[in-house]
Each structure stands twice: as structure tokens, then as C-alpha cells.
Amino acid sequence: MGLPDVIVIGAGSLGLCTAISLAGHGAKVTILEAKSIASGSTGRSVGVVGTQFTDPQEILLRRHAMAHFTRWEKAGLRFNHIGYLRLARTAAQMALFETSVRMQAEAGFRAELYRAEELRRLVPHMDVTGLAGGIFGPDNGFLDPHELCMFLARELKTAGGKLHQYCTVTDIARRSGGYRLETTKGPFDGDIIVNAAGAWAPHVARMLGQHLHVRAERHEAVLVLLDRPLDYTMPMVMDLVNGEGTGLNFRHEKQGELIAEIHKGDMAHSEDPDAYNEHCDEASKIHLAELLLERLPSLSGARLGRGWAGLYPVTADHRPFVGPIDAGEPAIVTAAGAGGYGIQLAPVIGQMAADWALHGAPVSMPGLESLAPTAARNIAT
């Protein structure tokens, strides 16, 4: 029996990585994208890839993901290794960081602790008031989301996969041995469906008679225009440890520009991905400016530039869903809910989703069955 025909819905980073993993195993893969490549959450991301976490599973996921990024970088993907600094406000957080350094070393990552008075060696403009220190990964950095997705699309084409843009799925029907998807570009038949539609994933699930609890959480980012270029490259700086902190993060973007956002949702409702405001609210800009002025007071001559809003697809426990919702229908695989970490987790989520589609379990990464959207996890946020 030959390998199945798989339909992947969504051409963001998760859908593209899933399709590449499937094609690498010889499956026939077709991506259906309602708009254009990276037009959803991926394209509105700030593209950070970091390993500075305190949870063993988060580090394990990134160990698998970074192996893909390393391989793709050798194949021509541009990875900006500016470093990633996560700030600590308490001694307890610094103790967690000490453990993280050890766990990262075991995973093959470099990380180093910095006391508060040492942080200005990394960011000379930083005011360290209220900080206990931080953890820094010199090999971390960021990717351009559109460059990443165009790279992945080329890789998919080389592997024999197909991608249809501006191809909206309007209905899905079960047929003997598989599924028929009606779209604005005609019907497509497949043996397996992977729902990687990001903020639209709950809508796709409903077409299949399933309930997927992923909330579309709004986030906003702005460019920071400097009055003069820095004489160093500012790493990614994050003020958030396991939900504690302001959520402010900022990093070098290009000569004379930083990019900043607040990585911390405070809204209980889910945005409508077809009708949300894609621009940064004025109140959000003011709040962001206040936080930046507090942490980088000597950059007071800087001004805020263009801003935009995107959506974080978030689950109740803030971990991604990878696997079938219904164990009785294993040919419908979900790959969604990575929140603000979609780009950095996309390679490993794609690998797991391909495993579920082809083998019925994440066989290449034993132990990560816990990310399946079981009834216990697939609950309202």
C-alpha cells in the first residue's frame, strides 16, 4: 500500500513545516491556503527563535526544532544570531535560570547567567532597576517570517509538494477512505487532513464536526526609530518568566531601528481573524512607550514608527495542540495553538504532525504524545 495523499490547510510556518516533513517521507502533499503564504499569524510575528526557558519540555521541543533550523541555515535560510536575553526580577527566577543553563547544556545549547550589574555589558542602554539578573543565549536570534516561509515553500516544491494560494476551503465531506474538500478553486481529495489554519483552525474544525478550543489572542508590535544608530547590536530582550513580568520585549531590527511588543495577553475573548483591527491601538503604543522609557531611558530621543497587530492562537494550557482531536478519527490531525512561539516551534510541530499523520503517534519524538488535543486539554480558555 502506498503512502497517503495528505491535504494541509494553512500556509503559515506550521503548515509549511508539516508539509515538508510529510513530503520528506514520500507522502503526496498539497497545501491549501485561503490567502497568501504567511498572511496570517506567521507574517505578523517578530520571528524570535530562543531557547531560554525553564521547563524541560520547552527545551526538548527547541532541541528538535533547532536541528531543523541549523540544517536550513546551511541550505541558505538567513538566521540573525543576535542573542536572546530573558530578564529575572527575583532570586527565585534566577534559581530557575541556573537550572535552565544546565538543561540547555545537556540539550547542546549555550546559555550564561548575568547578574543585574552585568546586564549593561549586553545592553549598555538598559536601566537594571528592579532586576535580579538574566539568562543569555548567544546563539539565539530571529528570522524574517516572510523569508522563512518563502524558503520553506521552495523546499516543499523541490520535494514535490504542491501549494495553492487564494484557495479557501468552503466545505469538507467524508468519502470512502478519505475526504473531499470543496474550495474556491475546485475540489481536492485526500486520505488525511492536517488542520494548520492558525487562528482559523477552530473554523476548519467545525467544518469537520469537531470542536477545537484555540483562542485568537491579539498582540501588537511597533518599530522604534532611533535618533542615531547604536554602536552595538541589541539582542532580543524579554521581560517575562513563566507569566511573570511586563511581557515587554525588544530587539535590533536593522540599522537605526528596534522592534518591540508586549508578549502577554490580557484579553479573555477571542478575536475574529476575519474582522480584527490589524493596526496598533494608540493606547497600546502609549503603554509600550512607557515601558520602553522605563527600561531604556537613555534612548529617550527614539520615537515609535509603524505598528501592527497580529493574533496568537492560544490553548488553555499555553502549549500547542499536535495530534488528532478524536482518537476514533486519526486521519484528521491538528497542528495549532502555538501562541507567540509558532515560528520557533514550527519545525518540531511539523515533524510531530507528520508522524501522527503517517504513523498514528509522534514516533520520532517519543514522550510528546502529551501535546495531543485530548479532551482533558482541548477545553475553553
Side-chain angles (χ1 to χ4, degrees), residues 8 29 33-34 44 50 108 128 135 144 159 176 188-189 191 231 233 265 267 317-318 326 337 341 376-377 380:
V8 177
V29 186
E33 167 55 50
R44 294 177 172 273
V128 300
I135 185 171
D144 179 280
S176 177
F188 291 83
D189 292 324
D191 304 308
D231 58 3
T233 297
M267 293 185 301
D317 62 7
H318 295 273
D326 182 354
Y341 299 110
R377 293 191 63 226

Side-chain angles (χ1 to χ4, degrees), residues 50-366:
T51 60
Q52 309 314 307
F53 291 83
T54 62
D55 181 271
Q57 188 179 75
E58 297 289 353
I59 293 175
L60 173 63
L61 288 169
R62 284 156 181 82
R63 179 170 67 82
H64 288 292
M66 291 301 287
H68 291 273
F69 285 128
T70 299
R71 187 174 67 256
W72 293 339
E73 187 176 10
K74 291 177 181 177
L77 177 64
R78 183 166 61 103
F79 193 131
N80 304 279
H81 295 279
I82 63 171
Y84 186 113
L85 172 63
R86 190 178 287 270
L87 303 176
R89 292 172 173 269
T90 65
Q93 290 176 348
M94 287 296 287
L96 288 175
F97 285 173
E98 289 180 10
T99 302
S100 177
V101 169
R102 293 194 296 271
M103 289 191 296
Q104 288 191 69
E106 292 171 0
F109 301 136
R110 292 195 298 161
E112 183 178 354
L113 289 179
Y114 283 73
R115 300 299 170 185
E117 61 274 12
E118 300 172 323
L119 291 173
R120 288 172 62 89
R121 287 163 39 193
L122 296 171
V123 186
H125 288 87
M126 183 182 293
D127 185 334
V128 300
T129 302
L131 299 177
I135 185 171
F136 180 66
D139 302 318
N140 296 169
F142 71 95
L143 303 164
D144 179 280
H146 290 279
E147 284 184 18
L148 169 66
C149 287
M150 294 309 294
F151 172 86
L152 294 174
R154 290 192 297 271
E155 291 287 297
L156 178 62
K157 182 178 180 180
T158 299
K162 296 180 179 179
L163 194 159
H164 297 273
Q165 300 181 75
Y166 300 99
C167 182
T168 303
V169 177
T170 57
D171 189 42
I172 305 175
R174 289 160 177 81
R175 60 171 177 79
S176 177
Y179 305 87
R180 167 155 287 194
L181 291 79
E182 300 293 341
T183 80
T184 51
K185 287 190 173 181
F188 291 83
D189 292 324
D191 304 308
I192 295 172
I193 295 174
V194 177
N195 180 2
W200 290 266
H203 173 69
V204 172
R206 284 192 294 273
M207 284 194 281
L208 289 159
Q210 298 183 334
H211 293 285
L212 180 65
H213 293 287
V214 172
R215 185 177 77 249
E217 187 177 87
R218 179 184 179 85
H219 77 97
E220 295 165 308
V222 297
L223 293 177
V224 180
L225 309 178
L226 305 177
D227 55 353
R228 65 178 64 86
L230 302 178
D231 58 3
Y232 65 97
T233 297
M234 186 176 290
M236 173 69 181
V237 181
M238 171 66 82
D239 182 13
L240 191 66
V241 183
N242 301 333
E244 298 180 0
T246 64
L248 173 68
N249 63 86
F250 49 88
R251 64 162 172 81
H252 164 86
E253 170 66 3
K254 58 185 179 181
Q255 186 77 350
E257 287 185 6
L258 307 179
I259 193 169
E261 67 168 349
I262 299 176
H263 193 151
K264 188 176 184 180
D266 58 1
M267 293 185 301
H269 76 280
S270 181
E271 292 277 352
D272 180 349
D274 290 313
Y276 77 100
N277 176 16
E278 297 180 353
H279 302 285
C280 187
D281 294 333
E282 195 60 30
S284 298
K285 280 190 173 183
I286 292 171
H287 181 48
L288 194 55
E290 290 172 345
L291 292 176
L292 285 168
L293 186 60
E294 177 185 17
R295 191 54 64 202
L296 300 172
S298 56
L299 287 181
S300 56
R303 65 190 189 281
L304 298 185
R306 178 178 67 89
W308 65 93
L311 299 176
Y312 289 155
V314 179
T315 66
D317 62 7
H318 295 273
R319 294 180 185 271
F321 286 154
V322 194
I325 293 175
D326 182 354
E329 197 161 18
I332 301 175
V333 176
T334 296
Y341 299 110
I343 282 183
Q344 58 184 280
L345 293 181
V348 67
I349 289 175
Q351 185 179 344
M352 277 191 286
D355 277 357
W356 277 107
L358 300 179
H359 306 293
V363 294
S364 64
M365 289 162 288

Side-chain angles (χ1 to χ4, degrees), residues 359-381:
H359 306 293
V363 294
S364 64
M365 289 162 288
L368 292 178
E369 296 87 352
S370 61
L371 294 180
T374 59
R377 293 191 63 226
N378 186 20
I379 58 176
T381 58

